[in-house]
Structure formats: C-alpha cells, structure tokens
Amino acid sequence: VPEADGRHRASAAFSLSFLSLVFSITAFSSSYWCEGTRKVAKPFCTGDSKGDLCIRFNSPDGNGSQAVQYIWETGDDKFVEKKFHAGIWYSCEEMINEDGEKCRSFISLTPASDRGVLWLSIVAELLYVLLLLTGNILMSVEMCYYSSVIDGLKINAFSAVVTVLAGLLGMVAHMMYTTVFQMTVNLGPEDWRPHTWDYGWSYGLAWTSFACCMAAAVTTINKYTKTILEFKHKRKKLERSFRIEYKFPDH
C-alpha cells in the first residue's frame, strides 16, 4: 500500500509539473498578457469611405474654392477606440479602416531605463521553462526507475529542488514583467499608450503555471519526506526485532 501511495504521489507531481510546463510555454509565446483599448483621433474621410470611423468634411461653395470647412464632431465622437494586446515579445493593435492588426516589438516600446528589467524578465522566464523541463524529465525517470529505492530518493530530492527553484524564478519573472508593463503604460511612446487596459488570459495562464509548479514541488517534497519517515519506521522495527531475538535466543 505505501508503494502504491508513493506511485500515486509521483504521478500527481509529474502531471502538475507537466501542466505547468505546457502553460508556461503557451503564455511565454503568446501576446495576450495585457489587453485593452487605445483612444485615437479619427482620420478624415477620403474618396468614397463612409461610416463612423472617419470624419467627413465639405466645402461651403461648390466652385472650386480653396477654403475648406471642417465640420468637427463634438466630444468623444472625434475619437475611435482601437483594441490592442501585448505580451513579452510584441504588441498588436487593430487597424481602423482595414482588416488585420499592426504589430510592434514590445521591447522597442519599453522605456530605455526599463529595458534591462525586461531582458532580466525574459531570461528568468526562459530559465523557468528550462528548469520545469528538467524537473519533468527527472520525475519521469523516477517513475520508470525501479532498481534501487535509494537512487529513486536521490532523484526525488533533486527534482524537488529543481521544481522549487523553477517556481521562484517564474514568480520573479512574472512580477518583473508586470512592473515593466506598468512603466511602459506611463512612460511609453505617445502613439502606443493605452486608454484602458487589463491583464489578459496569458497573464492568468502564467500564474496558473506557477501555482501548478509549486503544487508539484510540495507533492514531491511530501513524497520524499514520507519515504524517509517510512524508512526510519522500518529501521526501528528491525532494530527492535533484533533486540528481542538477542534477549531471547532460540535454544
């Protein structure tokens, strides 16, 4: 029964660690860490363009005068809200009168004083993924390795350390990116600054990955501790039985 319990714990830790790895890679490669809208002035209508996404103008006289009277709309009607989304690598926003999106490198939008922090965040994210992958490999080796319990314990301990380190790096990386994004919102280029914004699904996925990673680490440490305690208990029972045999030898 203890062995079966240990296998269940090992498979639970591996599943959590694998989920964490998949979530972290998905979040790291996507551009939906933050989503929102940008308020931009509507362009003037040209040619046959119609609709509410441009400002119409007309001439008061029809005999080719150079005087052009712009009929400005009042209040917020002069502006249109464009959706945008940004990630670690790039930021994209929708086009006003065309289909599709225009994307820019997020690193180029970041204020020069914060680029170092962003690069540290990227390096930490990469190390986070690498350590998660190492932890996954170690856990899978432990699950398939039956020759020695002591070797299994060593692998178990090492995978626990690697997973805890990965979790700490992931937490630091996510927090650094959050700081950089908020600084870019305040000090970034005028033609990018959002009007409203919130965290997107990738950001949530990144923190879910961190939660799975820490759960995997706790499960692995728990399995290691329980195995050690079982060993100590068996050793005490064995010592006790030896003492009894020594006191009352068989005649």
Side-chain angles (χ1 to χ4, degrees), residues 37-231:
T37 56
R38 281 193 60 236
K39 203 179 228 185
V40 294
K42 291 180 183 177
F44 292 116
C45 295
T46 54
D48 296 329
S49 58
K50 295 176 183 178
D52 299 326
L53 297 178
C54 62
I55 297 171
R56 296 172 191 82
F57 61 90
N58 67 352
S59 173
D61 50 341
N63 54 5
S65 168
Q66 293 299 311
V68 177
Q69 177 191 357
Y70 293 102
I71 301 175
W72 289 94
E73 295 166 295
T74 55
D76 282 343
D77 291 335
K78 276 197 293 193
F79 297 95
V80 64
E81 288 193 340
K82 289 165 67 174
K83 288 180 183 175
F84 86 96
H85 53 91
I88 290 175
W89 298 107
Y90 50 91
S91 172
C92 298
E93 61 184 55
E94 62 181 349
M95 312 280 273
I96 295 180
N97 285 317
E98 298 171 41
D99 292 330
E101 293 180 324
K102 180 180 76 175
C103 295
R104 291 182 275 180
S105 164
F106 184 72
I107 297 161
S108 66
L109 299 169
T110 311
S113 57
D114 294 305
R115 273 180 201 160
V117 182
L118 181 62
W119 278 113
L120 273 174
S121 171
I122 290 168
V123 170
E125 284 284 353
L126 285 168
L127 283 171
Y128 173 53
V129 172
L130 195 66
L131 284 171
L132 276 175
L133 183 63
T134 308
N136 267 273
I137 292 165
L138 286 167
M139 285 175 193
S140 59
V141 166
E142 187 204 344
M143 283 169 68
C144 304
Y145 196 68
Y146 303 121
S147 67
S148 166
V149 180
I150 300 297
D151 286 347
L153 266 177
K154 286 176 185 174
I155 295 168
N156 190 234
F158 194 51
S159 63
V161 171
V162 166
T163 312
V164 169
L165 277 175
L168 291 173
L169 268 171
M171 181 179 70
V172 169
H174 303 344
M175 288 171 74
M176 281 196 292
Y177 177 78
T178 307
T179 306
V180 169
F181 186 83
Q182 287 172 352
M183 291 300 288
T184 309
V185 167
N186 295 324
L187 304 171
E190 288 285 348
D191 67 337
W192 177 83
R193 287 185 203 175
H195 176 59
T196 59
W197 67 276
D198 204 350
Y199 296 110
W201 63 265
S202 295
Y203 188 78
L205 203 63
W207 282 109
T208 306
S209 167
F210 165 75
C212 287
C213 174
M214 294 316 288
V218 168
T219 309
T220 309
I221 292 165
N222 184 265
K223 180 181 178 291
Y224 177 80
T225 311
K226 196 167 181 185
T227 310
I228 291 289
L229 288 171
E230 279 170 6
F231 260 118

Side-chain angles (χ1 to χ4, degrees), residues 22-35:
V22 171
F23 288 165
S24 65
I25 291 169
T26 308
F28 187 58
S29 57
S30 74
S31 64
Y32 285 85
W33 283 63
C34 299
E35 298 176 80

Side-chain angles (χ1 to χ4, degrees), residues 12-29:
F14 175 76
S15 303
L16 285 164
S17 184
F18 184 73
L19 268 178
S20 179
L21 179 65
V22 171
F23 288 165
S24 65
I25 291 169
T26 308
F28 187 58
S29 57

